[in-house]
């Protein structure tokens, strides 16, 4: 008799294993963070980790970006599609950054994955994903709003083996190190990811040694079933029907969605949308992730976010559109397409289910890339930063200020001290955005107003900001928020304003001013309490003139 058979279906043991998997995913995350070279990983936490079952379905996820966690199951599916099961061996490590081979996002985001074997068969996968600052391509930072095809965006790694049965494939490592402007950083970030995988594999073997292979697999299956059960229970509580919504974008394009909710299914139809264009496109799998995030937030935020939870969800897309790019379309700014979709879905749900979703938020990754020769060493540097902004208000609550979007999740801004120590910039100001917008009985959260002073000539700025023309929406009489943009203040007194730009030259003494939007307000501004208005004026969130204009406040 197997020594583990007596506890094979003990629900308490299942619970222990399921919680252990979450802890393992978190430990993988911490190991990778601590070992990484780039501040976007160890400070901003632009990474995620997961434990997956043998078929590549998410069993447990670590901290990090929610939109990244949803990549890893799709990346494993890409590996399994390319490699017959008999060719996958213990000691293999796979890498993929190519959206057309399971990489899902864009070439900066590298997925690493390892199979875990027990009793001679594949029982699990460990995987992670992290943003690498530079993977080659036509511009430093590898993200260009001018790109028209993926070949311009960097080195493509199409689900290949970094290690084969424990043996390092040096050719792939050499290709990676050669196709970057930051080889030391890439080397460090790559090996940090490998270290995270090894920690995860070791911990899973320890769990299997303690509880047995069959019990481990049964616990994972049970966890998936729990996720599915919770999702289907949530669906039964919703009003069933078909709901449509469309939204104008900064470009003037119209994005459209049709939602069909039944007792058993949540169907999102995105077939009627603009054709793919430039570098603002999403892969089919990336679109699924944006929908998954909105689906989970709306139905049952507290349920396990595993593969089982998303079984009632289906997504329809049209190949050749921005939500289903066809090869060789570019994807450098995929994130702005996906966050626009995520935001539109929340707005559609807010429209059809009032009181469930807050007012609009700044809803952009606001990816900001600055680099060039370091003023002290002359060595090339590149800083890649997402930005925080204002969230929308809801009944009884002002919106939170200075937060990442819900799409971007559990991440942090890069501290001024780190930016100044590691990069060729001086941070002159980090403040909340004092621009008007988002007033209401409960006001929207404040965005930021950050000033980076350039310390050397021949630096560059690239960026991709949406909600730069159309602000976050207010609800129930609250006012719309404000927009996202970057202003370059030249040392000669001139200035330029940008939302998307590539390789804008900035020189010593120029100031890059990053401004992110204030969230939308909730409720009639005339009903805001005098105490709250006075506090906003005291804190610099509101001028006395704006208080009189919007609130009728005379102080």
């Amino acid at each position: 008799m197997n020594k583990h058979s007596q506890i094979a279906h003990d629900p308490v043991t299942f619970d222990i294993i399921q919680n252990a998997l979450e802890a393992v995913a978190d430990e993988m995350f911490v190991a990778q963070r601590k070992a990484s070279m780039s501040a976007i990983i160890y400070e901003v936490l632009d990474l995620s980790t997961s434990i997956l079952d043998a078929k590549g379905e998410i069993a447990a996820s670590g901290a990090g970006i929610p939109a990244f966690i949803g990549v890893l199951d799709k990346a494993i599916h890409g590996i399994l599609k390319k490699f017959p099961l008999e060719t996958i061996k213990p000691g293999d490590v796979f890498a993929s950054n190519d959206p057309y081979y399971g990489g899902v996002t864009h070439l900066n985001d590298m997925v690493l994955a390892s199979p875990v074997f027990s009793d001679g068969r594949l029982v699990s996968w460990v995987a992670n994903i992290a943003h690498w600052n530079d993977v080659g391509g036509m511009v430093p930072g590898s993200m260009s709003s001018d790109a028209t095809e993926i070949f311009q965006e960097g080195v493509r790694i199409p689900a290949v083996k970094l290690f084969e049965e424990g043996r390092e494939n040096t050719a792939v490592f050499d290709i990676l190190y050669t196709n970057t402007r930051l080889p030391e950083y890439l080397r460090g970030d790559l090996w940090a990811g490998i270290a995270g995988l090894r920690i995860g594999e070791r911990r899973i073997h320890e769990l299997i040694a303690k509880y047995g292979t069959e019990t481990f697999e049964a616990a994972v299956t049970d966890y998936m079933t729990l996720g599915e059960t919770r999702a289907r229970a949530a669906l039964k509580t919703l009003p069933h029907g078909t709901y449509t919504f469309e939204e104008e974008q900064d470009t003037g394009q119209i994005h459209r969605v049709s939602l069909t909710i039944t007792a058993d299914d949540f169907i999102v139809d995105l077939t009627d949308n603009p054709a793919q264009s430039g570098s603002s496109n999403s892969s089919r799998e990336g679109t699924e992730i944006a929908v998954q995030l909105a689906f989970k937030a709306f139905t049952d935020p507290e349920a396990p976010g595993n593969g089982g939870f998303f079984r009632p969800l289906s997504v329809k897309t049209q190949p050749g559109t921005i939500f289903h790019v066809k090869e060789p379309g570019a994807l450098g700014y995929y994130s702005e397409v996906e966050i626009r979709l995520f935001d539109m879905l929340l707005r559609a749900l807010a429209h059809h289910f009032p009181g469930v979703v807050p007012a609009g938020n700044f809803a952009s990754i606001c990816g900001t890339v600055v680099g060039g020769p370091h003023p002290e060493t002359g060595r090339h540097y590149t800083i890649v930063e997402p930005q925080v902004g204002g969230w929308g208000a809801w009944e009884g609550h002002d919106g939170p200020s200075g937060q990442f979007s819900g799409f971007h999740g559990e991440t942090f801004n890069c501290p001024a001290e780190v930016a100044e120590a590691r990069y060729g910039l001086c941070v002159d100001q980090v403040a909340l955005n004092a621009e008007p917008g988002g007033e209401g009985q409960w006001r929207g959260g404040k965005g930021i107003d950050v000033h980076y002073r350039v310390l050397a000539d021949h630096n560059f700025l690239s960026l991709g900001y949406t909600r730069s023309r159309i602000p976050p929406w207010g609800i129930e009489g609250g006012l719309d928020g404000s927009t996202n943009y970057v202003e370059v203040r030249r040392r000669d007194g001139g200035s330029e304003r940008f939302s998307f730009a590539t390789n804008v030259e900035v020189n010593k003494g120029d100031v890059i001013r990053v401004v992110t939007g204030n969230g939308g307000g909730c409720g009639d501004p005339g009903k805001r309490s005098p105490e709250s208005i006075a506090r906003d004026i005291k804190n610099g969130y509101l001028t006395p003139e704006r208080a009189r204009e919007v609130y009728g406040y005379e102080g």
Side-chain angles (χ1 to χ4, degrees), residues 13-153:
T13 301
F14 280 3
D15 195 48
I16 292 170
I17 293 172
Q18 292 159 4
N19 281 277
L21 291 175
E22 299 284 353
V24 172
D26 282 338
E27 186 178 1
M28 291 169 59
F29 181 93
V30 171
Q32 185 172 0
R33 174 192 182 184
K34 287 186 173 182
S36 291
M37 283 282 289
S38 297
I40 194 169
I41 300 178
Y42 70 77
E43 288 287 351
V44 177
L45 307 186
D46 207 333
L47 77 155
S48 283
T49 55
S50 267
I51 310 294
L52 306 100
D53 70 8
K55 296 179 181 178
E57 297 299 318
I58 294 173
S61 56
I65 298 175
F68 267 6
I69 293 166
V71 168
L72 295 174
D73 57 336
K74 299 160 187 65
I76 302 301
H77 297 160
I79 292 170
L80 290 170
K81 181 179 179 181
K82 181 175 179 179
F83 291 87
L85 193 59
E86 63 271 16
T87 68
I88 299 173
K89 304 293 184 181
D92 287 351
V93 176
F94 295 85
S96 185
N97 72 338
D98 194 312
Y100 299 108
Y101 291 86
V104 179
T105 57
H106 63 175
L107 297 181
N108 289 86
D109 297 332
M110 185 63 72
V111 174
L112 303 176
S114 291
V116 181
F117 285 79
S118 180
D119 293 340
R121 68 177 187 274
L122 176 63
V123 296
S124 182
W125 290 85
V126 291
N128 58 49
I129 179 173
H131 183 107
W132 290 358
N133 276 350
D134 191 286
V135 291
M138 63 192 291
V139 298
S142 310
M143 296 164 57
S144 170
S145 57
D146 296 332
T148 57
E149 55 183 9
I150 195 169
F151 303 109
Q152 299 164 332
E153 297 183 312

Side-chain angles (χ1 to χ4, degrees), residues 285-303:
E285 293 83 1
T287 292
E288 289 179 7
I289 293 167
V291 175
Q292 286 176 333
L293 291 173
F295 172 72
K296 182 141 193 336
F298 180 63
T299 53
D300 189 345
E302 305 302 322

